[in-house]
Amino acid sequence: MIDSIDIFGGETPSTIDGKGRTCIPAKFRDALANLSEDTRFIITKAAPVDLGDGTFGRGLSVYPLDTWAGIKKKILANEGGFTSAQLNSIKRQIVNPAEECSADKLGRALIPSSLRLHAELERDIWFVGMGQRFDIWSKGTYCRINAQDEKNFPLDSEALAAMGV
Amino acid sequence: MIDSIDIFGGETPSTIDGKGRTCIPAKFRDALANLSEDTRFIITKAAPVDLGDGTFGRGLSVYPLDTWAGIKKKILANEGGFTSAQLNSIKRQIVNPAEECSADKLGRALIPSSLRLHAELERDIWFVGMGQRFDIWSKGTYCRINAQDEKNFPLDSEALAAMGV
DNA sequence: ATATATTTCCCATGCAGTGGAAAAATGTGG
DNA sequence: CCACATTTTTCCACTGCATGGGAAATATAT
């Protein structure tokens, strides 16, 4: 059973060129085209990941236009029941930085420079399918996140058995 | 689904030159032109942001002429139901400082010196899309706001999950 | 009335973003 | 293992935005 949270999957290494463009992996492009005629998407900041050494790994999240519209609506309607100070903080962190983008005829997209800077994307990057969205990380950051995950929450047989793996 | 609150989006770094001029980012100019033939706008003081150390970050908010007219009308009609002392305070804080501006033929606007001073705009600044308006912050203030947001209300998985992210 | 400061307009320049072509790499089927 | 198709990367040329400076026009002060 494939449902709507299974749209984007898999990890794909890629690169960003000197002008900040990157080739969206073909399977993600196909998934976007599958989902809707409108293949535009929204790029924004991903939730920072605690690297365990007092620093945070920063990356980007990419949503199909409609998916983002739904999320934004929920945030603005404060479905999480936050205080107004918290809600403003959330807006500043992920709603305001969001930018609408699209791929050119060759499947490339320009990552807006402010977001490129935020995620420290220079050359080598990873695309990571996350179900209803996909994330973009610099290679270095993604390596550190993986190492931290392994140390922090090792997947032993117990943990896996609890989920029928 | 794109609606009227999605006009201005994204963060753009820029500068103010020695004459107090700044180039309005092209996408914001386009959005203004899209919205109405009259591309004038209103600049006023933004709501100060608590920086957590007893100080406040001050910036500016920019509204299309029509949008501002609607907001001003609501304020003056006291739709918020404030006491008259509160209402006067609100007027002094954001209605009175408001100034009408426009971009020159090259897309640059002169920020009135009183507002420049209020927001401590010197050289490096950020334009931040906020939906129906956009804000202008000095680079230093904007950095402090972001740092404060992260410290104060980190976007962890819990917070985001509450909103379907 | 004259000097000084402020604002507006225009030009020149550098650089970021856009698009296409083609080479290189990768995957696919025979 | 080879031939072919697709995807990804690199390269180059072009457009348009951003930026700084000079000069004209306007306002303000002396």
Side-chain angles (χ1 to χ4, degrees), chain B residues 46-82:
Chain B
V49 175
D50 190 333
L51 294 177
D53 60 357
T55 69
F56 287 84
R58 297 177 206 288
L60 307 177
S61 289
V62 181
Y63 298 87
L65 219 52
D66 291 347
T67 308
W68 174 252
I71 290 171
K72 187 171 171 181
K73 204 170 152 188
K74 283 189 186 178
I75 293 175
L76 298 183
N78 195 15
E79 290 197 11
F82 298 104

Short mmCIF file of all heavy atoms in Angstrom, two decimals, chain B residues 46-82:
data_model
loop_
_atom_site.label_atom_id
_atom_site.label_comp_id
_atom_site.label_asym_id
_atom_site.label_seq_id
_atom_site.Cartn_x
_atom_site.Cartn_y
_atom_site.Cartn_z
N ALA B 46 8.14 48.49 12.72
CA ALA B 46 7.65 47.14 12.98
C ALA B 46 7.50 46.94 14.48
O ALA B 46 8.08 47.69 15.27
CB ALA B 46 8.62 46.11 12.41
N ALA B 47 6.72 45.93 14.86
CA ALA B 47 6.61 45.60 16.28
C ALA B 47 7.99 45.15 16.78
O ALA B 47 8.60 44.27 16.19
CB ALA B 47 5.59 44.49 16.48
N PRO B 48 8.49 45.76 17.86
CA PRO B 48 9.80 45.37 18.39
C PRO B 48 9.79 43.91 18.84
O PRO B 48 8.78 43.40 19.31
CB PRO B 48 9.98 46.30 19.59
CG PRO B 48 9.11 47.48 19.31
CD PRO B 48 7.92 46.90 18.58
N VAL B 49 10.95 43.24 18.66
CA VAL B 49 11.07 41.83 19.02
C VAL B 49 11.93 41.70 20.28
O VAL B 49 13.05 42.21 20.32
CB VAL B 49 11.71 41.02 17.87
CG1 VAL B 49 11.94 39.58 18.29
CG2 VAL B 49 10.83 41.08 16.63
N ASP B 50 11.41 41.01 21.27
CA ASP B 50 12.12 40.80 22.54
C ASP B 50 13.36 39.94 22.29
O ASP B 50 13.26 38.81 21.81
CB ASP B 50 11.18 40.09 23.52
CG ASP B 50 11.76 40.07 24.93
OD1 ASP B 50 13.00 40.09 25.06
OD2 ASP B 50 10.97 40.03 25.89
N LEU B 51 14.53 40.48 22.62
CA LEU B 51 15.77 39.74 22.37
C LEU B 51 16.22 38.93 23.59
O LEU B 51 17.26 38.28 23.55
CB LEU B 51 16.88 40.69 21.92
CG LEU B 51 16.64 41.34 20.55
CD1 LEU B 51 17.74 42.31 20.22
CD2 LEU B 51 16.51 40.28 19.47
N GLY B 52 15.42 38.98 24.64
CA GLY B 52 15.69 38.09 25.77
C GLY B 52 16.72 38.62 26.75
O GLY B 52 16.91 38.07 27.82
N ASP B 53 17.42 39.71 26.38
CA ASP B 53 18.43 40.27 27.29
C ASP B 53 17.99 41.65 27.79
O ASP B 53 18.81 42.48 28.17
CB ASP B 53 19.77 40.38 26.57
CG ASP B 53 19.68 41.29 25.34
OD1 ASP B 53 18.56 41.77 25.04
OD2 ASP B 53 20.71 41.50 24.69
N GLY B 54 16.67 41.88 27.76
CA GLY B 54 16.17 43.16 28.22
C GLY B 54 16.11 44.21 27.12
O GLY B 54 15.57 45.29 27.32
N THR B 55 16.67 43.88 25.96
CA THR B 55 16.60 44.84 24.85
C THR B 55 15.63 44.33 23.78
O THR B 55 15.23 43.17 23.80
CB THR B 55 17.97 45.06 24.19
OG1 THR B 55 18.34 43.85 23.51
CG2 THR B 55 19.03 45.40 25.23
N PHE B 56 15.27 45.24 22.88
CA PHE B 56 14.36 44.88 21.79
C PHE B 56 14.99 45.16 20.45
O PHE B 56 15.72 46.15 20.31
CB PHE B 56 13.05 45.67 21.92
CG PHE B 56 12.19 45.20 23.05
CD1 PHE B 56 12.40 45.66 24.34
CD2 PHE B 56 11.19 44.25 22.81
CE1 PHE B 56 11.61 45.19 25.39
CE2 PHE B 56 10.41 43.78 23.86
CZ PHE B 56 10.62 44.25 25.15
N GLY B 57 14.72 44.27 19.48
CA GLY B 57 15.18 44.51 18.12
C GLY B 57 14.14 45.34 17.38
O GLY B 57 12.96 45.01 17.41
N ARG B 58 14.61 46.42 16.78
CA ARG B 58 13.67 47.31 16.07
C ARG B 58 13.90 47.26 14.56
O ARG B 58 15.03 47.23 14.10
CB ARG B 58 13.84 48.75 16.56
CG ARG B 58 13.49 48.89 18.03
CD ARG B 58 13.72 50.30 18.57
NE ARG B 58 13.97 50.23 20.01
CZ ARG B 58 13.02 49.95 20.90
NH1 ARG B 58 11.79 49.73 20.50
NH2 ARG B 58 13.32 49.87 22.19
N GLY B 59 12.81 47.25 13.82
CA GLY B 59 12.91 47.20 12.36
C GLY B 59 11.76 47.96 11.73
O GLY B 59 11.00 48.64 12.41
N LEU B 60 11.63 47.80 10.42
CA LEU B 60 10.59 48.51 9.68
C LEU B 60 9.67 47.53 8.95
O LEU B 60 10.09 46.42 8.62
CB LEU B 60 11.23 49.45 8.66
CG LEU B 60 12.28 50.42 9.22
CD1 LEU B 60 12.89 51.25 8.09
CD2 LEU B 60 11.66 51.33 10.28
N SER B 61 8.44 47.94 8.72
CA SER B 61 7.50 47.15 7.94
C SER B 61 7.04 47.96 6.74
O SER B 61 6.82 49.16 6.86
CB SER B 61 6.29 46.75 8.78
OG SER B 61 6.65 45.79 9.75
N VAL B 62 6.92 47.28 5.60
CA VAL B 62 6.52 47.95 4.37
C VAL B 62 5.23 47.34 3.85
O VAL B 62 5.13 46.12 3.69
CB VAL B 62 7.63 47.81 3.31
CG1 VAL B 62 7.23 48.53 2.04
CG2 VAL B 62 8.95 48.33 3.84
N TYR B 63 4.23 48.20 3.61
CA TYR B 63 2.92 47.74 3.14
C TYR B 63 2.58 48.38 1.80
O TYR B 63 2.84 49.58 1.61
CB TYR B 63 1.82 48.16 4.12
CG TYR B 63 1.93 47.59 5.50
CD1 TYR B 63 2.70 48.22 6.48
CD2 TYR B 63 1.27 46.41 5.84
CE1 TYR B 63 2.81 47.69 7.76
CE2 TYR B 63 1.36 45.88 7.11
CZ TYR B 63 2.14 46.53 8.07
OH TYR B 63 2.23 46.01 9.34
N PRO B 64 1.96 47.63 0.89
CA PRO B 64 1.39 48.27 -0.30
C PRO B 64 0.36 49.30 0.16
O PRO B 64 -0.26 49.12 1.22
CB PRO B 64 0.71 47.11 -1.05
CG PRO B 64 1.36 45.88 -0.53
CD PRO B 64 1.75 46.17 0.88
N LEU B 65 0.20 50.34 -0.63
CA LEU B 65 -0.68 51.46 -0.25
C LEU B 65 -2.07 51.00 0.19
O LEU B 65 -2.57 51.40 1.24
CB LEU B 65 -0.80 52.42 -1.44
CG LEU B 65 -0.81 53.91 -1.12
CD1 LEU B 65 0.38 54.28 -0.25
CD2 LEU B 65 -0.79 54.71 -2.40
N ASP B 66 -2.68 50.12 -0.60
CA ASP B 66 -4.05 49.68 -0.31
C ASP B 66 -4.12 48.85 0.97
O ASP B 66 -5.05 48.99 1.77
CB ASP B 66 -4.61 48.84 -1.46
CG ASP B 66 -4.84 49.69 -2.69
OD1 ASP B 66 -4.81 50.93 -2.56
OD2 ASP B 66 -5.04 49.12 -3.78
N THR B 67 -3.12 47.97 1.12
CA THR B 67 -3.08 47.13 2.32
C THR B 67 -3.02 48.01 3.57
O THR B 67 -3.74 47.80 4.54
CB THR B 67 -1.86 46.21 2.28
OG1 THR B 67 -1.86 45.50 1.04
CG2 THR B 67 -1.88 45.21 3.43
N TRP B 68 -2.13 49.01 3.50
CA TRP B 68 -1.98 49.92 4.65
C TRP B 68 -3.28 50.67 4.93
O TRP B 68 -3.68 50.83 6.09
CB TRP B 68 -0.84 50.89 4.43
CG TRP B 68 -0.75 51.92 5.52
CD1 TRP B 68 -1.06 53.23 5.45
CD2 TRP B 68 -0.33 51.68 6.88
NE1 TRP B 68 -0.87 53.85 6.66
CE2 TRP B 68 -0.42 52.92 7.57
CE3 TRP B 68 0.11 50.56 7.59
CZ2 TRP B 68 -0.09 53.06 8.91
CZ3 TRP B 68 0.43 50.70 8.93
CH2 TRP B 68 0.33 51.93 9.59
N ALA B 69 -3.94 51.11 3.87
CA ALA B 69 -5.19 51.85 4.06
C ALA B 69 -6.19 51.01 4.86
O ALA B 69 -6.85 51.51 5.77
CB ALA B 69 -5.77 52.25 2.70
N GLY B 70 -6.25 49.71 4.53
CA GLY B 70 -7.16 48.82 5.24
C GLY B 70 -6.78 48.67 6.70
O GLY B 70 -7.63 48.71 7.60
N ILE B 71 -5.49 48.51 6.95
CA ILE B 71 -5.01 48.33 8.32
C ILE B 71 -5.27 49.58 9.16
O ILE B 71 -5.76 49.52 10.28
CB ILE B 71 -3.50 47.99 8.31
CG1 ILE B 71 -3.30 46.59 7.75
CG2 ILE B 71 -2.91 48.11 9.71
CD1 ILE B 71 -1.86 46.23 7.49
N LYS B 72 -4.95 50.72 8.56
CA LYS B 72 -5.12 51.98 9.27
C LYS B 72 -6.59 52.20 9.64
O LYS B 72 -6.91 52.61 10.76
CB LYS B 72 -4.63 53.12 8.38
CG LYS B 72 -4.61 54.47 9.07
CD LYS B 72 -3.91 55.49 8.19
CE LYS B 72 -4.05 56.89 8.74
NZ LYS B 72 -3.39 57.89 7.86
N LYS B 73 -7.44 51.86 8.71
CA LYS B 73 -8.88 52.01 8.93
C LYS B 73 -9.32 51.17 10.14
O LYS B 73 -10.05 51.64 11.02
CB LYS B 73 -9.62 51.55 7.68
CG LYS B 73 -11.01 52.15 7.50
CD LYS B 73 -11.54 51.81 6.11
CE LYS B 73 -13.05 51.75 6.07
NZ LYS B 73 -13.53 51.23 4.77
N LYS B 74 -8.82 49.92 10.17
CA LYS B 74 -9.18 49.03 11.28
C LYS B 74 -8.68 49.57 12.61
O LYS B 74 -9.36 49.51 13.63
CB LYS B 74 -8.58 47.64 11.06
CG LYS B 74 -9.34 46.81 10.04
CD LYS B 74 -8.81 45.37 10.04
CE LYS B 74 -9.45 44.57 8.92
NZ LYS B 74 -8.91 43.19 8.89
N ILE B 75 -7.45 50.09 12.58
CA ILE B 75 -6.90 50.63 13.82
C ILE B 75 -7.73 51.82 14.30
O ILE B 75 -8.17 51.87 15.45
CB ILE B 75 -5.43 51.07 13.62
CG1 ILE B 75 -4.54 49.85 13.36
CG2 ILE B 75 -4.93 51.84 14.85
CD1 ILE B 75 -3.10 50.19 13.03
N LEU B 76 -7.98 52.75 13.38
CA LEU B 76 -8.70 53.97 13.78
C LEU B 76 -10.13 53.67 14.20
O LEU B 76 -10.69 54.36 15.05
CB LEU B 76 -8.68 54.99 12.64
CG LEU B 76 -7.28 55.48 12.24
CD1 LEU B 76 -7.35 56.54 11.17
CD2 LEU B 76 -6.51 56.00 13.46
N ALA B 77 -10.71 52.59 13.64
CA ALA B 77 -12.07 52.22 14.04
C ALA B 77 -12.04 51.40 15.33
O ALA B 77 -13.08 50.96 15.81
CB ALA B 77 -12.73 51.42 12.93
N ASN B 78 -10.81 51.19 15.84
CA ASN B 78 -10.63 50.42 17.09
C ASN B 78 -11.31 49.06 17.05
O ASN B 78 -12.01 48.67 17.98
CB ASN B 78 -11.11 51.24 18.29
CG ASN B 78 -10.61 50.63 19.60
OD1 ASN B 78 -9.70 49.80 19.60
ND2 ASN B 78 -11.20 51.05 20.70
N GLU B 79 -11.05 48.33 15.97
CA GLU B 79 -11.65 47.00 15.85
C GLU B 79 -11.10 46.03 16.89
O GLU B 79 -11.68 44.99 17.16
CB GLU B 79 -11.45 46.44 14.44
CG GLU B 79 -12.28 47.18 13.41
CD GLU B 79 -12.41 46.40 12.11
OE1 GLU B 79 -12.03 45.21 12.09
OE2 GLU B 79 -12.88 47.00 11.13
N GLY B 80 -9.93 46.36 17.45
CA GLY B 80 -9.36 45.50 18.47
C GLY B 80 -10.03 45.69 19.83
O GLY B 80 -9.80 44.91 20.76
N GLY B 81 -10.82 46.73 19.95
CA GLY B 81 -11.51 46.97 21.21
C GLY B 81 -10.61 47.42 22.35
O GLY B 81 -10.77 47.00 23.49
N PHE B 82 -9.63 48.28 22.04
CA PHE B 82 -8.71 48.74 23.08
C PHE B 82 -9.28 49.93 23.84
O PHE B 82 -10.23 50.58 23.39
CB PHE B 82 -7.37 49.16 22.43
CG PHE B 82 -6.69 48.02 21.73
CD1 PHE B 82 -6.70 47.92 20.34
CD2 PHE B 82 -6.03 47.03 22.46
CE1 PHE B 82 -6.08 46.87 19.70
CE2 PHE B 82 -5.40 45.98 21.82
CZ PHE B 82 -5.43 45.89 20.45
#
